[in-house]
Amino acid sequence: MKILGIYWGMCSTSSLFVDGNIIHAVSEERFTRRKNEDRFPAESIKSCLLSAKIKPSSLNGVAIASMRQPFFDTLIHKYSSFSIQDYIREQKEYWYPKLIEKKEANLYAVFADRVDKAQYPTNYWDTALSRSGTGFDIDREGIVADFLGGVEIPVQRIEHHRSHAAYGYYMSPFRNDTALVFTIDGWGDGLNATINIFEPGKEVQRVFSTTTANIGRIYRYMTLLLGMKPNEHEYKIMGLAPYGKGSIVENAYRVFVETLYVDGLDFKWKQQPTDSYFWFRDRLEGCRFDGIAAGLQQWTEELLCQWVKNAVSHFGIGTVVLSGGVAMNVKAMGKIASLPEVKRFFVAGTGSDESLALGATFCLAEDLAGGKEKLTGGKENSCSLYLGSWNTSEEEQAFLRGVRNDPAYEVVDKTTFEFIAELLAAPPLGRGLVLGRCAGAMEFGQRALGNRSIIADPINPAVVPRINQMIKNRDFWMPFAPVVLDSYSEKYLINPKRITSPHMTVGFETTSEGWKAMPAACHPADHTARAQILYHQDNPALYGLLQAFAEKTGRGAILNTSFNLHGYPIVNTIADGWDVFTKSGLDGLLLADSLVLKKRTQASGFEV
Ligand SMILES: [Fe+2]
């Protein structure tokens, strides 16, 4: 069975499901180079079909994630174009009158200058606007069918949280076992959290849903309150939180605990805020920024842990999966993983809405199979997120032809793992270079997993400000993360349940040996690490490189951060990698077969 999955919204994405597994998935931003691209995912659809060399008519169906999608948000490209100031304007000119003054408010009127009727499908928006966007939800089915050449196959919308749950479960190691699957996010199809039981051979049961689990929404607007971009920079608040200590945290924490609490399986209000921004702004006035981040994070962790704990006890199922945007909070995921009630735990990479394009295909496959039987089977490595395109050797060589005669660069052909390990290893064992790796299939999702990554030796903390300032222009407080060889994970990470974390979804406490070996890839304030634990079958080429690095240095981990300039999507092609390489202080560009080094870098001043 072949199903195309589409999510058209914040970070539009397409995926291709073939016989039980996702074989290709990519977000539109990787082609348009606009972060969180929310336009119609035309290029990613083409990439999916090309990857399997199939025509739309060979598909059994198309799954469009989410029954509903906000029309005006799409029309004005809210998610790919809004600045922090735009989000504040939305609060002041739309939400404040609507929620606090209880007046009529019109988002279209506020952002009329942002309307883009030239986007695909260009002949649609005028008519849709004349009826204020009514019907857009359903119209998406026709728009997709037309794009695919008028296919006569089921083109079906799939409910938002059902897609989140299916993604979490079917892309976990538990897909043939019974599991309790939690979804929690900002909002989708009228809900913000669900609990589901997946059991082999049985229909999926949604055993709980709610509209009150407002953690994601509150976290989003606290991100804005702290001067960062909502829907995107929540991870920066999480990264800031460990710096908050003592009474500074207490004052802010008290504001949050006076709002939402967990009661059994549900969330209830002690005091319901009038809105998610101004209400908190008034009460948090005078609280220090790191205290707000820490208080918010502590409250988030406590609520999520209590919720999962109650549900595990209620249903008697200790195998737990989390999905949805709130599951991106790696620190909270680490706390849940540590709960004694939770026996086995998994969070699929990138639980936010782009993963709906993947989850929806599993749901449609269930429906087309009769809706009564859940999908079983699937390949052993069904969790892999190396689902994008890769550059062939021919493409690599063709690109390098233009570089070989440039006196500023040195091309090294047929590199070995040992050679790269020596370049990465900090002096005196090696040169301590920082390399951009653009090799193998591109990762799906927000986190680079080694194939589109900037890598370095994690032993030397001096590499952190160097990467931050010269390469990524990142925020000074944000930690990097390690890729840890499976054989070193017990030495470096406190992980008594041996939770698999191939996608950097869990924040682990580190051992003293781990902290000593990789201080540049841990959080400096609390020594935790959102590690990608690397298994050979997941990425043999990266594994070989880490093994050679471990043999050279005795350290079974490398520092990993996504290969992009700040505010831009992760690189896709070699040309994208080259663009970042030449605009930054990166020492080298590592491709599948070759390496390009700058003959002299500002950072290291070395000669090749
Ligand atoms: Fe969602």
Side-chain angles (χ1 to χ4, degrees):
M1 192 182 288
K2 298 183 184 71
I3 296 172
L4 181 69
I6 291 172
Y7 175 66
W8 180 7
M10 178 169 165
C11 205
S12 295
T13 294
S14 306
S15 79
L16 185 62
F17 166 104
V18 177
D19 298 335
N21 296 294
I22 302 292
I23 63 159
H24 196 84
V26 61
S27 294
E28 192 71 2
E29 62 165 26
R30 303 299 167 90
F31 301 101
T32 65
R33 310 307 303 156
R34 275 187 292 261
K35 182 85 181 150
N36 289 325
E37 179 63 88
D38 51 8
R39 288 164 177 79
F40 183 81
E43 296 307 315
S44 65
I45 292 173
K46 287 181 205 162
S47 178
C48 285
L49 297 175
L50 194 66
S51 72
K53 297 188 173 54
I54 58 170
K55 290 180 179 160
S57 54
S58 318
L59 295 166
N60 297 85
V62 182
I64 302 175
S66 270
M67 301 302 287
R68 290 181 253 160
Q69 197 63 32
F71 173 74
F72 286 118
D73 290 0
T74 308
L75 192 62
I76 63 178
H77 300 306
K78 178 174 167 180
Y79 298 110
S80 60
S81 77
F82 262 31
S83 64
I84 293 167
Q85 290 311 320
D86 290 329
Y87 278 109
I88 291 174
R89 187 172 159 209
E90 182 192 24
Q91 287 300 320
K92 289 185 174 169
E93 296 180 31
Y94 177 69
W95 289 113
Y96 190 88
K98 187 181 167 85
L99 297 176
I100 297 168
E101 297 178 326
K102 309 286 182 203
K103 287 183 188 164
E104 280 290 306
N106 184 339
L107 189 64
Y108 174 64
V110 177
F111 290 102
D113 57 329
R114 300 296 185 82
V115 165
D116 174 18
K117 292 188 219 165
Q119 65 179 301
Y120 184 86
T122 48
N123 59 357
Y124 175 74
W125 306 102
D126 267 326
T127 327
L129 254 175
S130 67
R131 44 184 160 88
S132 302
T134 312
F136 177 57
D137 298 330
I138 297 169
D139 291 346
R140 290 177 302 149
E141 294 175 5
I143 292 169
V144 168
D146 285 349
F147 181 80
L148 295 172
V151 283
E152 291 182 13
I153 52 172
V155 177
Q156 223 162 282
R157 288 171 296 143
I158 306 287
E159 197 259 340
H160 193 99
H161 280 264
R162 184 184 173 204
S163 304
H164 271 317
Y167 170 71
Y169 177 74
Y170 288 117
M171 297 206 64
S172 80
F174 312 137
R175 68 179 284 175
N176 296 314
D177 299 331
T178 298
L180 200 55
V181 180
F182 298 78
T183 69
I184 181 159
D185 67 2
W187 196 249
D189 284 340
L191 297 174
N192 53 19
T194 69
I195 303 175
N196 310 271
I197 297 174
F198 283 71
E199 210 172 333
K202 292 194 180 166
E203 197 171 358
V204 182
Q205 297 175 64
R206 177 174 289 178
V207 288
F208 172 78
S209 64
T210 185
T211 57
T212 323
N214 272 32
I215 301 174
R217 198 172 180 83
I218 292 172
Y219 214 108
R220 177 192 298 168
Y221 289 110
M222 294 310 95
T223 304
L224 182 61
L225 195 65
L226 290 173
M228 286 171 256
K229 202 189 271 191
N231 295 311
E232 191 176 327
H233 291 162
E234 284 75 6
Y235 70 100
K236 297 186 183 188
I237 307 302
M238 186 180 64
L240 184 60
Y243 291 101
K245 309 275 184 210
S247 60
I248 282 170
V249 181
E250 199 51 41
N251 295 339
Y253 173 74
R254 272 204 297 272
V255 173
F256 295 111
V257 288
E258 283 310 311
T259 60
L260 207 60
Y261 70 101
V262 173
D263 181 23
L265 301 180
D266 209 350
F267 293 78
K268 289 189 179 155
W269 295 108
K270 279 185 199 164
Q271 194 184 171
Q272 185 170 2
T274 42
D275 72 304
S276 302
Y277 181 77
F278 299 101
W279 191 92
F280 288 96
R281 189 188 69 176
D282 292 345
R283 283 155 184 82
L284 290 166
E285 198 168 40
C287 291
R288 211 169 79 173
F289 61 100
D290 51 344
I292 295 175
L296 173 66
Q297 180 64 24
Q298 186 186 333
W299 171 76
T300 298
E301 290 170 7
E302 287 171 1
L303 286 188
L304 290 175
C305 283
Q306 192 62 53
W307 186 47
V308 171
K309 219 155 113 169
N310 292 355
V312 168
S313 306
H314 183 88
F315 296 106
I317 300 169
T319 298
V320 168
V321 168
L322 259 91
S323 186
V326 177
M328 295 287 277
N329 191 309
V330 297
K331 293 298 287 291
M333 296 306 107
K335 292 278 163 57
I336 293 171
S338 305
L339 291 171
E341 292 83 355
V342 172
K343 304 300 174 208
R344 297 192 300 168
F345 183 68
F346 191 77
V347 186
T350 299
S352 43
D353 282 355
E354 58 268 45
S355 68
L356 296 172
L358 288 73
T361 65
F362 291 104
C363 301
L364 184 57
E366 286 175 342
D367 292 348
L368 294 180
K372 292 292 171 200
E373 296 226 340
K374 93 174 187 62
L375 298 169
T376 51
K379 66 184 179 187
E380 201 179 309
N381 194 17
S382 63
C383 319
S384 174
L385 290 186
Y386 297 107
L387 294 169
S389 306
W390 60 89
N391 303 295
T392 63
S393 292
E394 293 73 37
E395 286 166 339
E396 187 173 321
Q397 287 312 314
F399 187 88
L400 290 174
R401 269 198 288 281
V403 178
R404 289 182 191 280
N405 294 328
D406 191 325
Y409 303 102
E410 173 86 15
V411 178
V412 184
D413 290 310
K414 296 192 177 17
T415 57
T416 62
F417 293 142
E418 290 71 24
F419 174 68
I420 304 300
E422 187 172 341
L423 293 183
L424 289 170
L429 294 173
R431 290 184 175 181
L433 303 191
V434 180
L435 305 177
R437 184 170 188 269
C438 183
M442 180 172 64
E443 305 85 337
F444 159 73
Q446 302 288 342
R447 296 179 181 126
L449 302 169
N451 284 0
R452 299 292 184 279
S453 288
I454 290 171
I455 55 175
D457 190 337
I459 189 73
N460 183 4
V463 83
V464 174
R466 195 180 146 210
I467 298 177
N468 279 347
Q469 290 156 25
M470 300 195 65
I471 299 167
K472 294 199 68 178
N473 195 22
R474 279 166 103 248
D475 304 294
F476 63 89
W477 70 88
M478 285 307 292
F480 290 115
V483 184
V484 179
L485 276 176
D486 55 352
S487 52
Y488 279 76
S489 66
E490 281 188 42
K491 279 184 210 162
Y492 290 177
L493 307 170
I494 297 175
N495 183 15
K497 292 178 198 166
R498 297 189 178 171
I499 284 161
T500 52
S501 177
H503 310 140
M504 300 168 74
T505 48
V506 180
F508 294 97
E509 308 275 331
T510 51
T511 61
S512 55
E513 193 179 350
W515 169 247
K516 225 169 115 187
M518 48 182 200
C522 299
H523 199 296
D526 64 5
H527 296 194
T528 56
R530 55 186 173 109
Q532 172 191 353
I533 302 176
L534 185 67
Y535 307 89
H536 181 266
Q537 70 269 22
D538 287 346
N539 192 335
L542 186 65
Y543 197 90
L545 172 56
L546 260 85
Q547 270 187 319
F549 182 77
E551 275 164 34
K552 176 90 189 159
T553 64
R555 297 187 280 281
I558 56 168
L559 178 152
N560 168 30
T561 183
S562 55
F563 192 176
N564 61 299
L565 294 173
H566 193 244
Y568 286 88
I570 296 173
V571 302
N572 178 3
T573 62
I574 296 175
D576 298 335
W578 180 261
D579 190 50
V580 175
F581 171 54
T582 51
K583 284 180 179 162
S584 70
L586 271 179
D587 298 316
L589 176 64
L590 181 57
L591 305 174
D593 301 324
S594 308
L595 168 75
V596 185
L597 290 168
K598 285 176 188 158
K599 284 197 173 167
R600 179 179 286 281
T601 71
Q602 289 173 307
S604 63
F606 69 89
E607 289 279 354
V608 175

